Amino acid sequence: MAVGSGLGTSASRVIDADGRLVTPGFFDPHTHIDAQIAWDPTATPLGWHGVTSAVMGNCGITFAPCRPGGESKLADMMEAVEEVSARIILSALPWDWEGYDEYLESVDRMPKAINVGGMVGHSAVRAYAMGIEESLDPERAPTRAELDLMRELVDNALRGGALGFSTTRTLRHTLPDGRPVPGSFAGKEELLHLCEPLRARSRGVIEVSARLWDKEDYGQWRSRFEYEMGLMTALSRSTGRTVTFSLFNHKDRAEIYRAILDRTADEVATGASLRPQVAARRVGELIGLGQNVPFEGEAWDRLRELRFDERLAALENADVRQRLIESPAGGDSTPTARGLYYLGSDSANYEYGVHDSLEAQAKTAGETPAETFIRYCRGTRGRAVWVREFLNQLVDGIERSITDPNSILGLGDAGAHVGGICDSSLPSYVLKHWVRDRRVLSLAEGVKRLTRDPATLFGQEDRGVLRAGSYADVNIIDLDALDLIVPEYKDILPGGDGMWIQKSRGYELTLVNGRVFMEAGEFTGEVAGRTLRAS
């Protein structure tokens, strides 16, 4: 990239950005596109939201290292934890690697419209060294030889350019049989041993999905909080590396997120490097005619068996509608409607309140919630979407978290939970809501938090900034027109499977490494993305 006036006339294209917001490309620190990037060069829907660089390998779940014959175990693990089909993973990935360094070389060969880098995951490392069954045993500590092999696997990944090491400790990350994934019960000694190569090489991030939000711990959250925060602080102090970890709020335990932010500030003040990753809006399951139809009963089950266009057609049949209305809970669909909030059918309304619930909509119209759901779906041709929130319900908590000086904006989870959520539009939401509409963040601070902060965290000093000599990852945005369109469920995955996607308005151009890959919301076909490596 060159910056300044008088740059010459040799450009293949001149873009007039007068009156537009010009930013570095956005850097997404928390994705699970490890498999998706093999068949989708734009990592849908990241391309619609200005993301030009993304980090894979979060939460300890990766596809390398992988012993020959171990592919299905790692695919099953990703499906169980991140809800990405193992069938698609096994068929779409080339599996032409064993070590994580070879995995990154395979990513090099994949056509990419965005830049991607990855961390090596604890679960794969442990399964490789101990065998999958032994690695799952909560009472089984690794031998010295197994610890040394795991450390060597992590070091090999760093030599190959891995951006760091990730691990999960939450008991919500389980295999199909309900057992927590490998590494969930790892002790302090094991984690310190595995993170030693990061200290020795003075590079890499430690990412932790900490056990801070498991409901079974709510009654004793203080002791769990002390242990997890103490462990992450010890990892940072012993390695000299930054530990980043997921942080949400929850309406049932508001004190937890506050305690975490306060403890983080105390530890940072005395030399530790802790960066909680926070989400910029409420998190919930998307509900609509295309996916997650909310009502139960035989008539609704029959509707769910149909394709989307067939569902729409069925709703035009008066007899079908009557059976649906009478089906849920003996004709009373009110309990299902509590906690379902209307996002809209065009522009997404994430500032919903109690008056936007399906229950409230039905009461206003003098209908049952099932009748209202059907009416909205018919009137919008199936574009109406509701959300059932389950995390980050406290808006004041979100504001405090995103403005905390130690936090990193992230947790969009692109590539994961594709049948339930679609939060990878968070960069657009930050600019629209927290910068333009609410002015909680200044424009400069909002852009910095989406670009420079996460890029620097992962050692990418020439990304996330517009300066001479840096990589030309650039967004050109009409900030006044910036908007998020309501998510829609589309059958676009290999084999005809579906996922929630979300488009935007206001992005005029997005460049990756100097090439325009998105223009007016359309993919241009340019695949100039590169594999990000730590250096």
Side-chain angles (χ1 to χ4, degrees):
M1 177 185 292
V3 177
S5 58
L7 298 178
T9 59
S10 60
S12 60
R13 178 178 179 183
V14 176
I15 300 166
D16 184 359
D18 185 44
R20 297 295 182 252
L21 174 64
V22 180
T23 76
F26 301 144
F27 196 107
D28 190 331
H30 194 109
T31 81
H32 296 278
I33 60 172
D34 311 53
Q36 184 179 345
I37 199 64
W39 68 77
D40 178 6
T42 67
T44 304
L46 292 178
W48 286 309
H49 300 283
V51 174
T52 58
S53 297
V55 178
M56 313 180 292
N58 284 280
C59 301
I61 310 298
T62 55
F63 298 128
C66 178
R67 291 190 184 275
E71 298 88 353
S72 64
K73 295 295 185 183
L74 296 184
D76 287 345
M77 201 180 302
M78 180 68 81
E79 178 178 46
V81 174
E82 305 300 346
E83 300 175 80
V84 183
S85 167
R87 172 181 54 81
I88 296 175
I89 292 169
L90 290 169
S91 63
L93 288 176
W95 297 100
D96 54 355
W97 59 79
E98 184 166 344
Y100 199 85
D101 58 334
E102 295 170 329
Y103 168 73
L104 291 178
E105 290 169 1
S106 185
V107 173
D108 284 336
R109 295 187 286 272
M110 298 174 187
K112 300 175 291 297
I114 68 170
N115 308 303
V116 295
M119 294 175 286
V120 63
H122 190 181
S123 294
V125 167
R126 207 172 202 261
Y128 186 103
M130 300 175 64
I132 185 66
E133 288 302 318
E134 291 292 305
S135 70
L136 287 164
D137 186 348
E139 303 299 324
R140 163 82 150 81
T143 66
R144 173 54 58 175
E146 290 166 342
L147 278 174
D148 289 344
L149 175 55
M150 285 193 275
R151 182 179 59 185
E152 176 54 34
L153 292 168
V154 173
D155 193 50
N156 167 269
L158 294 175
R159 285 198 305 269
L163 301 179
F165 168 80
S166 70
T167 186
T168 184
R169 304 183 54 73
T170 173
L171 303 186
R172 293 175 297 170
H173 288 167
T174 61
L175 296 179
D177 62 12
R179 289 181 293 174
V181 298
S184 302
F185 300 102
K188 181 177 179 181
E189 179 186 0
E190 177 178 337
L191 287 166
L192 289 172
H193 202 69
L194 268 60
C195 292
E196 171 60 20
L198 284 76
R199 184 205 61 78
R201 294 184 177 276
S202 296
R203 67 170 184 256
V205 173
I206 302 167
E207 189 268 341
V208 181
S209 184
R211 187 176 168 182
L212 292 167
W213 302 103
D214 294 16
K215 286 189 176 180
E216 55 266 50
D217 293 329
Y218 278 1
Q220 53 184 10
W221 75 266
R222 176 61 69 176
S223 61
R224 175 53 58 181
F225 158 83
E226 294 290 347
Y227 182 82
E228 294 292 313
M229 293 300 296
L231 176 61
M232 292 189 290
T233 300
L235 289 174
S236 174
R237 293 187 188 279
S238 67
T239 62
R241 310 308 304 161
T242 296
V243 174
T244 184
F245 58 96
S246 304
L247 174 59
F248 298 96
N249 69 57
H250 196 285
K251 60 183 178 59
D252 294 336
R253 281 290 183 268
E255 65 271 29
I256 299 180
Y257 90 88
R258 299 189 193 107
I260 292 170
L261 289 176
D262 290 344
R263 172 63 68 84
T264 296
D266 292 342
E267 299 294 358
V268 168
T270 56
S273 182
L274 303 178
R275 303 298 300 271
Q277 282 193 37
V278 300
R281 70 174 183 233
R282 292 175 281 188
V283 178
E285 179 187 32
L286 298 170
I287 307 292
L289 185 64
Q291 175 73 350
N292 303 323
V293 175
F295 303 109
E296 301 299 329
E298 183 179 348
W300 290 97
D301 290 341
R302 286 199 296 269
L303 185 73
R304 271 187 279 267
E305 293 172 356
L306 303 177
R307 299 193 309 269
F308 179 72
D309 58 339
E310 295 172 332
R311 296 180 190 185
L312 277 175
L315 293 186
E316 296 306 309
N317 184 305
D319 291 337
V320 171
R321 292 199 300 272
Q322 191 60 37
R323 287 195 294 270
L324 291 170
I325 291 167
E326 294 173 353
S327 178
D332 180 12
S333 54
T334 301
T336 300
R338 295 193 181 110
L340 297 188
Y341 298 97
Y342 189 53
L343 283 184
S345 61
D346 182 37
S347 294
N349 172 33
Y350 287 101
E351 282 59 68
Y352 51 78
V354 293
H355 58 284
D356 297 306
S357 73
L358 181 56
E359 181 181 22
Q361 290 173 316
K363 285 182 178 179
T364 299
E367 301 171 324
T368 68
E371 288 178 291
T372 302
F373 180 84
I374 291 169
R375 177 167 58 84
Y376 271 66
C377 288
R378 293 179 68 204
T380 64
R381 299 298 297 162
R383 288 286 287 121
V385 173
W386 291 260
V387 62
R388 179 189 288 117
E389 60 184 26
F390 54 81
L391 274 178
N392 248 30
Q393 302 100 326
L394 306 174
V395 176
D396 59 340
I398 297 173
E399 182 171 338
R400 179 180 173 188
S401 296
I402 67 169
T403 56
D404 188 277
N406 296 308
S407 69
I408 289 285
L409 300 186
L411 305 181
D413 257 4
H417 315 296
V418 296
I421 65 173
C422 190
D423 289 337
S424 45
S425 59
L426 286 173
S428 301
Y429 183 78
V430 169
L431 281 184
K432 175 182 182 290
H433 180 71
W434 294 114
V435 172
R436 188 193 69 192
D437 296 346
R438 289 283 310 282
R439 300 186 179 182
V440 168
L441 296 173
S442 70
L443 179 57
E445 180 66 13
V447 170
K448 175 176 174 288
R449 283 184 162 272
L450 295 170
T451 58
R452 188 65 179 150
D453 284 0
T456 302
L457 173 65
F458 284 94
Q460 304 301 303
E461 297 293 337
D462 290 326
R463 307 276 180 189
V465 63
L466 299 179
R467 70 180 178 207
S470 66
Y471 292 102
D473 300 338
V474 183
N475 284 315
I476 299 176
I477 305 168
D478 182 345
L479 185 59
D480 291 336
L482 184 62
D483 200 6
L484 288 84
I485 301 173
V486 167
E488 54 184 325
Y489 193 77
K490 290 290 188 180
D491 296 330
I492 60 173
L493 294 178
D497 287 8
M499 67 180 291
W500 287 101
I501 67 171
Q502 186 171 28
K503 296 184 179 181
S504 64
R505 298 185 181 97
Y507 289 90
E508 297 190 354
L509 291 168
T510 299
L511 292 80
V512 168
N513 297 313
R515 308 289 287 273
V516 176
F517 96 97
M518 295 294 294
E519 184 163 5
E522 298 293 331
F523 177 40
T524 66
E526 290 283 0
V527 285
R530 301 178 184 177
T531 307
L532 303 175
R533 285 179 165 84
S535 58

